Amino acid sequence: MTTQSPSVEIKVLLKRPMILLIVAVIFVFSLIGANIAGRQAARADIEKLETVWPFLDRLSEADRAFLAGLAMTCKLHRYGETQSEVVTCLRTAAADPSAILPNSVSQADAHDKLERMLDYAPGATSSGS
């Protein structure tokens, strides 16, 4: 029994354009699907963050980036239907040593920054640290 070298196997694949076409189509549809899922998750995160900060669009870009990082860290789009659940999710993310944070915020400062932001969120309770 003889075995073919990897370069021979690649040449065989290249001779079969239908296989390459199918792989390319699957790859493109996977990228499109991931893009759509990401956009839906982002929209859900924004809606949930707006339960705590109805004026989310008026926050500074740095504050929005901070909240977006925390939302991605705790996968807010999967949880947090109520305002208190959103706050709990964000607090969990702020305490996570591997939290996604903008360069302007250190892990050590994340919790304090979130609590300060909760101080000016209408109806949010900031005393849950």
Side-chain angles (χ1 to χ4, degrees), residues 25-74:
V25 167
I26 290 171
F27 179 73
V28 168
F29 278 114
S30 296
L31 286 178
I32 292 170
N35 188 330
I36 291 170
R39 287 176 190 240
Q40 289 174 340
R43 268 190 236 114
D45 284 351
I46 289 169
E47 288 174 8
K48 291 177 181 190
L49 288 170
E50 286 178 334
T51 65
V52 180
W53 293 275
F55 48 85
L56 184 67
D57 60 332
R58 293 189 304 265
L59 291 177
S60 72
E61 185 176 337
D63 286 348
R64 290 193 315 267
F66 173 68
L67 291 174
L70 293 180
M72 287 189 296
T73 300
C74 75

Side-chain angles (χ1 to χ4, degrees), residues 24-126:
V25 167
I26 290 171
F27 179 73
V28 168
F29 278 114
S30 296
L31 286 178
I32 292 170
N35 188 330
I36 291 170
R39 287 176 190 240
Q40 289 174 340
R43 268 190 236 114
D45 284 351
I46 289 169
E47 288 174 8
K48 291 177 181 190
L49 288 170
E50 286 178 334
T51 65
V52 180
W53 293 275
F55 48 85
L56 184 67
D57 60 332
R58 293 189 304 265
L59 291 177
S60 72
E61 185 176 337
D63 286 348
R64 290 193 315 267
F66 173 68
L67 291 174
L70 293 180
M72 287 189 296
T73 300
C74 75
K75 295 177 179 39
L76 184 60
H77 61 278
R78 294 183 184 170
Y79 311 102
E81 296 300 319
T82 67
Q83 188 181 54
S84 66
E85 291 172 330
V86 170
V87 170
T88 300
C89 182
L90 296 175
R91 282 183 173 141
T92 301
D96 185 341
S98 60
I100 301 167
L101 299 171
N103 292 335
S104 61
V105 180
S106 71
Q107 176 58 46
D109 297 334
H111 175 75
D112 291 337
K113 179 173 176 68
L114 176 62
E115 294 305 318
R116 282 192 307 273
M117 291 182 72
L118 287 170
D119 283 341
Y120 63 83
T125 58
S126 64

